[in-house]
Amino acid sequence: MKVINVAGVRPNFMKVAPLMEAYKKSNQIEPVLVHTGQHYDESMSGLFFHELDIPEPDINLEVGSASHAVQTAEIMKAFEPVVLEHKPDVVLVVGDVNSTIACGLVAVKLGIKLAHVEAGLRSFDRSMPEEINRILTDSISDLLLCTEQSGVVNLISEGVPEEDIFLVGNIMIDSLLKYIDKAKQSNILDRLNLNHSDFAILTLHRPANVDDPITFSRILDALEVIQRHIPIIFPIHPRTRKNLFASYLDRRVKRLPHLRLTHPLGYLDFLKLMSSARFVMTDSGGIQEETTVLRIPCLTLRENTEQPVTVEIGSNRIVGTETEKIIEACKQVTNGHSRNFQIPPLWDGHAAERIVKILLDRL
Ligand code: UD1
């Protein structure tokens, strides 16, 4: 069986890594790895291939950055000849980014089966580009592979036949569990001159937070107060950096001595940093899941989440972006946070093996 696997952005790479390994072990699948090039900086892409032992992509479409329409269209135009040449049995896409929907659409229009990993997740917020990508990708997929039960429920309520839906667990956690021991050896705490548990982490990149200077300023108002009590490490996403300078908010950040910006970090350094932090503030989806398994409190600076299981079990709180709410949540979390919760079912390091078995059984 020939499977084309698509990866395009930083959070896709830790999802294809365990799959590539599971294909190899199965000895029954010939994988082709396509990198769309949606992310292209060494720190957002190349480093992850190296650290996660992902084979070099067979094909790099090198589409780069552009508006949503142009980026999606360019990926489709570049991906179609690849599918025509390789004639796969299945195209497998992960996550919810423009590369996911673009390649999914090309596959189904050529009559190729489509498998979607992380199917069914919904924030129910259609202003998020990722929500549109999720809904569209799921609606054209033949195999819907879910990380948590909410995904199964959402897909059934949208009319997807139950026999096409599989709860396989969380493939991102496969990578986390495989690499956590190696990550513990990272010297990132020394490099940043930090003590265990004596700092918080911040990541921000959602358009709703960083493209709008008013929201971004509101978050900075909160950070100004919080950094007086605990240093905040802020590995900054390229989109966020660009907007910080464009809106002159970088001047404010410079006046906050304990809000420390770093370049985007590699996988192992970031895992080490997360697992050593007092708490994490983020608008990322994957970090809500990773902090759950690491049992580090997560404060989500959004009004919703597509990973509701993390909130239900109590590892994650939806805080929003109001200044006072962020400050209050940080106070509460530093005063104590229960780490005594059940990790969601099947977040056990074996999701990729389950996916390979389903591909072989079903297709
Ligand atoms: C994309 C995904 C988002 C995901 C995120 C992870 C979509 C719609 N969004 O958002 O769901 O959570 O990736 O990071 O697919 N840039 C660089 N170097 C890079 C990549 C990007 O400088 O290697 C800059 C470019 O200026 C670009 C901007 O970042 O314009 C945004 O990049 P893009 O990939 O379009 O979207 P993300 O914001 O990263």
Side-chain angles (χ1 to χ4, degrees):
M1 179 188 288
K2 194 171 195 178
V3 181
I4 293 189
N5 300 271
V6 176
V9 302
R10 181 171 61 176
N12 293 165
F13 306 135
M14 44 290 235
K15 295 165 194 168
V16 295
L19 275 172
M20 299 308 281
E21 195 184 332
Y23 293 143
K24 204 169 172 186
K25 269 195 201 143
S26 86
N27 226 357
Q28 295 177 70
I29 289 183
E30 181 193 343
V32 177
L33 180 57
V34 174
H35 188 333
T36 64
Q38 183 174 340
H39 283 178
Y40 41 86
D41 285 353
E42 175 62 19
S43 64
M44 300 290 286
S45 172
L47 181 56
F48 287 78
F49 278 76
H50 173 68
E51 288 190 329
L52 290 157
D53 297 314
I54 308 171
E56 279 291 304
D58 297 285
I59 297 130
N60 193 325
L61 306 180
E62 294 182 351
V63 294
S65 304
S67 69
H68 282 276
V70 171
Q71 187 176 60
T72 308
E74 291 298 336
I75 297 169
M76 290 183 71
K77 276 162 63 185
F79 188 58
E80 188 178 53
V82 173
V83 179
L84 288 171
E85 184 195 330
H86 285 272
K87 300 186 181 56
D89 300 289
V90 187
V91 168
L92 180 144
V93 294
V94 298
D96 55 14
V97 298
N98 288 342
S99 301
T100 312
I101 180 60
C103 294
L105 207 46
V106 169
V108 295
K109 294 243 176 176
L110 292 173
I112 309 290
K113 297 270 184 232
L114 180 64
H116 183 206
V117 175
E118 296 188 320
L121 296 178
R122 297 288 181 269
S123 64
F124 300 101
D125 174 2
R126 289 197 179 203
S127 69
M128 283 179 85
E130 295 83 358
E131 182 75 352
I132 305 300
N133 292 340
R134 289 179 203 120
I135 294 168
L136 295 179
T137 306
D138 286 339
S139 72
I140 56 172
S141 292
D142 299 283
L143 273 185
L144 297 106
L145 305 154
C146 300
T147 53
E148 61 169 83
Q149 185 60 25
S150 77
V152 176
V153 172
N154 292 334
L155 292 171
I156 292 173
S157 76
E158 288 172 19
V160 176
E162 277 188 50
E163 62 270 24
D164 297 340
I165 307 172
F166 298 87
L167 182 63
V168 293
N170 195 323
I171 199 163
M172 200 173 201
I173 303 306
D174 288 12
S175 282
L176 186 152
L177 295 176
K178 178 170 175 194
Y179 286 100
I180 188 68
D181 286 337
K182 196 169 177 192
K184 283 189 180 143
Q185 291 156 27
S186 150
N187 61 2
I188 184 76
L189 297 190
D190 294 337
R191 272 158 41 219
L192 296 177
N193 207 6
L194 293 167
N195 291 321
H196 194 275
S197 269
D198 248 1
F199 63 94
I201 301 177
L202 169 72
T203 80
L204 288 175
H205 74 281
R206 294 279 159 208
N209 284 344
V210 304
D211 291 7
D212 172 14
I214 297 174
T215 310
F216 206 165
S217 288
R218 227 168 40 212
I219 297 173
L220 280 179
D221 290 341
L223 298 175
E224 182 165 353
V225 176
I226 298 159
Q227 57 95 44
R228 288 187 209 131
H229 304 279
I230 184 163
I232 303 169
I233 308 302
F234 184 15
I236 191 163
H237 188 285
R239 170 189 211 105
T240 311
R241 180 179 288 276
K242 203 163 68 180
N243 290 341
L244 197 66
F245 282 89
S247 55
Y248 301 108
L249 288 170
D250 59 307
R251 296 176 186 175
R252 273 197 69 191
V253 168
K254 279 196 194 104
R255 291 198 295 270
L256 307 181
H258 306 298
L259 175 63
R260 293 173 49 189
L261 269 59
T262 73
H263 292 293
L265 295 174
Y267 184 65
L268 299 174
D269 283 345
F270 192 66
L271 266 191
K272 167 76 177 192
L273 209 57
M274 260 196 304
S275 62
S276 315
R278 180 90 60 88
F279 61 91
V280 175
M281 294 173 277
T282 191
D283 60 10
S284 149
I287 292 176
Q288 297 171 49
E289 301 173 324
E290 289 171 330
T291 48
T292 295
V293 173
L294 295 170
R295 297 185 185 275
I296 299 297
C298 181
L299 304 177
T300 295
L301 307 189
R302 287 171 44 189
E303 302 300 338
N304 48 54
T305 179
E306 55 284 344
Q307 281 96 358
V309 72
T310 60
V311 177
E312 281 154 26
I313 63 173
S315 68
N316 178 23
R317 284 180 55 185
I318 302 303
V319 174
T321 57
E322 300 291 333
T323 307
E324 289 310 319
K325 285 191 182 155
I326 300 173
I327 295 170
E328 184 53 35
C330 288
K331 257 190 222 156
Q332 286 176 6
V333 94
T334 32
N335 287 340
H337 174 89
S338 167
R339 292 170 197 236
N340 192 15
F341 48 74
Q342 287 275 328
I343 303 294
L346 307 182
W347 291 22
D348 59 358
H350 299 288
E353 292 157 31
R354 290 184 201 105
I355 292 170
V356 167
K357 185 166 185 318
I358 291 164
L359 288 175
L360 290 169
D361 287 353
R362 277 293 300 262
L363 302 174

